[in-house]
Amino acid sequence: MVQRLTFRRRLSYNTKSNRRTVVKTPGGKLAYQYTGKIPTVPKCGDCGIKLNGIKPARPAEYARMSKTKKTVSRTYGGSKCHVCVRSRILRAFLVEEQKMVKKVLQAKAKQDAEKAKKTATKSKKPKSK
């Protein structure tokens, strides 16, 4: 006949926080052993893929872990994946580059306008006979 088991905690419902497995004790009896919730790997804030190099843990465990296990030594390490960081850097560079191109084009347009103005004033001078 199968040995009956009793809960070791007060919670008697089959919930996610009350998961348990049956183990055999050294005394030969069967007992419940409570299993914790499965930890998840943090995901990228932009694209949602799992972040490499970061230890999966429950939120309370992260508070006790060292910084090296929670982050990667890179900009946005532990928050964004390498692909998203690269695209952000590239986008920022291209935006700055676009601003510079715009300034150069404005300066050139201004020079052309001044040149056209000078040539227009020279041709308007009356010729004396």
Side-chain angles (χ1 to χ4, degrees):
M1 192 169 149
V2 180
Q3 182 184 344
R4 286 191 177 186
L5 295 169
T6 56
F7 290 112
R8 298 166 110 180
R9 299 177 186 165
R10 288 174 189 257
L11 181 60
S12 60
Y13 298 105
N14 190 22
T15 60
K16 281 194 280 184
S17 62
N18 201 28
R19 285 202 189 126
R20 62 221 170 264
T21 55
V22 179
V23 293
K24 201 167 204 177
T25 60
K29 292 181 180 179
L30 296 177
Y32 277 136
Q33 190 173 55
Y34 290 95
T35 56
K37 289 186 180 179
I38 301 162
T40 57
V41 179
K43 290 166 187 69
C44 175
D46 290 349
C47 62
I49 65 166
K50 290 179 181 178
L51 296 175
N52 294 327
I54 297 167
K55 194 171 183 260
R58 297 294 301 162
E61 290 174 38
Y62 276 120
R64 293 187 292 268
M65 278 169 40
S66 64
K67 191 176 180 180
T68 55
K69 291 177 184 167
K70 293 185 279 190
T71 62
V72 181
S73 57
R74 176 179 60 233
T75 312
Y76 295 106
S79 172
K80 308 269 185 278
C81 68
H82 66 285
V83 178
C84 294
V85 171
R86 186 177 177 179
S87 65
R88 273 175 182 246
I89 292 167
L90 196 63
R91 193 182 311 123
F93 172 75
L94 291 173
V95 166
E96 290 299 316
E97 198 70 19
Q98 190 66 34
K99 285 180 187 174
M100 295 302 290
V101 168
K102 194 175 177 183
K103 273 188 182 178
V104 169
L105 289 175
Q106 283 178 342
K108 187 166 181 154
K110 198 174 184 182
Q111 276 184 343
D112 290 345
E114 286 176 12
K115 253 186 188 177
K117 206 176 197 181
K118 281 184 183 178
T119 55
T121 54
K122 280 185 182 178
S123 63
K124 282 187 180 178
K125 284 187 180 177
K127 291 181 184 177
S128 57
K129 287 185 182 178

